[in-house]
């Protein structure tokens, strides 16, 4: 049987070294060998755990944050409630359960999931049984109406390119083959006019990353928000400015070499929130805020205390650990950041500063 690794090696022998974004896209989305197209990667049995899988509190607070934003913008009677990269559907299920108490919100929502994986769509369909759900392949296909959107750990999986500064030029990092094994290498020194602004804040040997899909995806979202109203909450790991190698792989909840098992591990890179914010115009963006701070502002500790009153023993221990994992600075609290996108005439969603 030809493995995805074999296919990649054959492709490199035929076409030359492969860019990092090409390698990522093939590993994650290859029709028969891609990571997201062939498995359920989430949860304890998968390779990583996302915030919605850790505790229901995460999705509940996100849902109420979006619902309050909807109320503040006049409660439009028809809107898109969307999620990018919805995983198992756990987050959307928690959002819908929490917002049932907000009169009219669920009834006005057209639930839309942006999901490329057919196998994950099947999982989401089961998780959201009882709700009318629509799917689309990209943000460009979202309905042209008010949009209230969540993207949790979506942008980190978009393919990136990497460039090493060499004088006033750049050498692109690539994937090649040596002695039958995949390996990293560098292309020739070339000018990169798109990175002219990075010559001022980098030096020889510095590596920067660029995600070509980031701006078009953000612009598809903010075009709807700017024209019709709504808001987007983007939650991911990253920082305000890209510098250094953040390309990484996870398998069995452990970091591994990104080249060792193509199609069998998750590949991600940190999000450049500065580029995301710049792409949002004419929509406004909030300050980037640590996830722990954001959740505390939304009342996660009070919610945790309420839920804890009915718990004992191991269940209570797990609940306390989940609260800590989501909010503590040494765990997900500082690693993950939140940014809100909203119309020019409106205030940012609750929990975020202008």
């Amino acid at each position: 049987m030809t493995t995805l690794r074999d296919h990649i090696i054959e492709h490199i022998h035929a076409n030359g070294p492969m860019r990092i974004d090409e390698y990522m896209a093939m590993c994650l989305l290859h029709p028969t060998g891609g990571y997201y197209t062939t498995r359920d990667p989430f949860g304890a049995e998968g390779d990583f755990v996302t915030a919605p899988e850790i505790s229901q509190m995460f999705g509940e607070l996100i849902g109420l944050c979006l619902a309050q934003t909807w109320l503040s913008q006049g409660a439009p009677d028809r809107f898109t409630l969307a999620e990018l990269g919805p995983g198992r559907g756990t987050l959307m299920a928690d959002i819908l359960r929490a917002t049932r108490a907000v009169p009219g919100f669920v009834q006005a929502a057209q639930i839309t999931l942006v999901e490329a994986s057919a196998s994950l769509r099947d999982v989401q369909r089961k998780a959201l049984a009882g709700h009318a759900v629509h799917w689309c392949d990209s943000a460009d296909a979202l309905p042209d109406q008010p949009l209230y959107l969540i993207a949790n750990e979506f942008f980190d999986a978009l393919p990136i390119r990497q460039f090493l500064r060499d004088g006033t030029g750049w050498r692109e990092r690539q994937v090649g083959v040596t002695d039958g094994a995949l390996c990293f290498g560098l292309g020739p020194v070339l000018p990169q006019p798109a990175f002219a602004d990075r010559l001022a804040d980098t030096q020889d040997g510095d590596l920067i990353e660029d995600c070509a899909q980031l701006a078009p995806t953000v612009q598809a979202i903010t075009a709807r928000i700017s024209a019709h109203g709504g808001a987007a909450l983007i939650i991911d790991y990253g920082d305000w400015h890209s510098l250094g190698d953040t390309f990484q792989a996870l398998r069995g909840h452990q970091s591994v070499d990104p080249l060792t098992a193509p199609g069998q591990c998750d590949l991600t890179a940190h999000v450049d929130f500065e580029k995301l914010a710049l792409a949002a115009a004419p929509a406004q963006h909030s300050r980037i805020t640590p996830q722990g701070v954001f959740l505390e502002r939304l009342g996660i500790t009070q919610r945790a205390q309420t839920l804890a009153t009915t718990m004992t023993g191991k269940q209570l221990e797990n609940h306390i650990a989940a609260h800590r994992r989501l909010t503590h600075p040494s765990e997900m609290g500082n690693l993950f950041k939140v940014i809100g996108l909203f119309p020019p005439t409106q205030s940012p969603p609750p929990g975020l500063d202008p």
Side-chain angles (χ1 to χ4, degrees), residues 4 24-42 47-48 50 85-88 115-121 123-124 152-159 237 248 250 262-269:
L4 182 59
M24 283 186 73
M26 190 171 291
C27 289
L28 296 177
L29 297 173
H30 187 274
T32 59
Y35 182 75
Y36 286 121
T37 55
T38 59
R39 72 196 67 221
D40 176 359
F42 302 95
D47 294 308
F48 57 89
T50 60
R88 287 177 168 171
E115 178 59 71
S117 166
S119 60
L120 284 177
R121 286 189 183 192
V123 176
Q124 294 153 14
N152 179 60
E153 293 196 58
F154 171 81
F155 284 94
D156 67 284
L158 295 182
Y237 47 69
Q248 58 194 312
L250 276 178
Q264 299 176 48
C265 52
D266 186 37
L267 301 179
T268 64

Side-chain angles (χ1 to χ4, degrees), residues 114-189:
V114 178
E115 178 59 71
S117 166
S119 60
L120 284 177
R121 286 189 183 192
D122 289 338
V123 176
Q124 294 153 14
R125 188 173 289 107
K126 294 174 184 176
L128 298 170
H131 294 283
V133 181
H134 306 269
W135 281 269
C136 57
D137 292 330
S138 70
D140 288 330
L142 290 168
D144 195 23
Q145 62 186 12
L147 173 63
Y148 295 81
L149 177 142
I150 174 70
N152 179 60
E153 293 196 58
F154 171 81
F155 284 94
D156 67 284
L158 295 182
I160 58 152
R161 296 170 69 180
Q162 294 184 319
F163 296 88
L164 188 81
R165 181 171 169 184
D166 190 330
T168 58
W170 303 86
R171 303 182 69 186
E172 183 159 12
R173 198 178 188 206
Q174 301 170 330
V175 178
V177 179
T178 300
D179 297 328
L182 295 172
C183 61
F184 287 114
L186 292 169
V189 179

Side-chain angles (χ1 to χ4, degrees), residues 191-250:
Q192 296 288 346
F195 305 142
D197 61 319
R198 299 307 307 270
L199 294 176
D201 70 336
T202 57
Q203 54 189 354
D204 274 7
D206 280 349
L207 187 143
I208 63 172
E209 296 173 337
D210 183 63
C211 177
Q213 294 181 28
L214 184 145
T217 303
V218 171
Q219 288 161 2
I221 295 165
T222 55
R224 290 153 176 80
I225 291 173
S226 297
H228 306 292
L233 295 173
I234 313 295
I235 305 174
D236 229 313
Y237 47 69
D239 219 322
W240 186 247
H241 206 52
S242 164
L243 184 62
D245 178 14
T246 72
F247 183 41
Q248 58 194 312
L250 276 178

Side-chain angles (χ1 to χ4, degrees), residues 60-141:
E60 290 172 347
L61 293 172
I62 294 296
L64 293 175
C65 176
L66 291 175
Q68 181 57 59
T69 307
W70 174 75
L71 290 170
S72 298
Q73 294 187 18
D77 59 8
R78 187 65 172 166
F79 69 91
T80 305
L81 177 62
E83 183 178 357
L84 305 185
R88 287 177 168 171
T90 304
L91 176 54
M92 184 57 73
D94 289 341
I95 287 172
L96 293 170
R97 187 186 63 256
T99 54
R100 284 183 303 192
V102 181
F105 182 82
V106 174
Q107 293 77 10
Q110 180 178 332
I111 304 162
T112 305
L113 304 181
V114 178
E115 178 59 71
S117 166
S119 60
L120 284 177
R121 286 189 183 192
D122 289 338
V123 176
Q124 294 153 14
R125 188 173 289 107
K126 294 174 184 176
L128 298 170
H131 294 283
V133 181
H134 306 269
W135 281 269
C136 57
D137 292 330
S138 70
D140 288 330

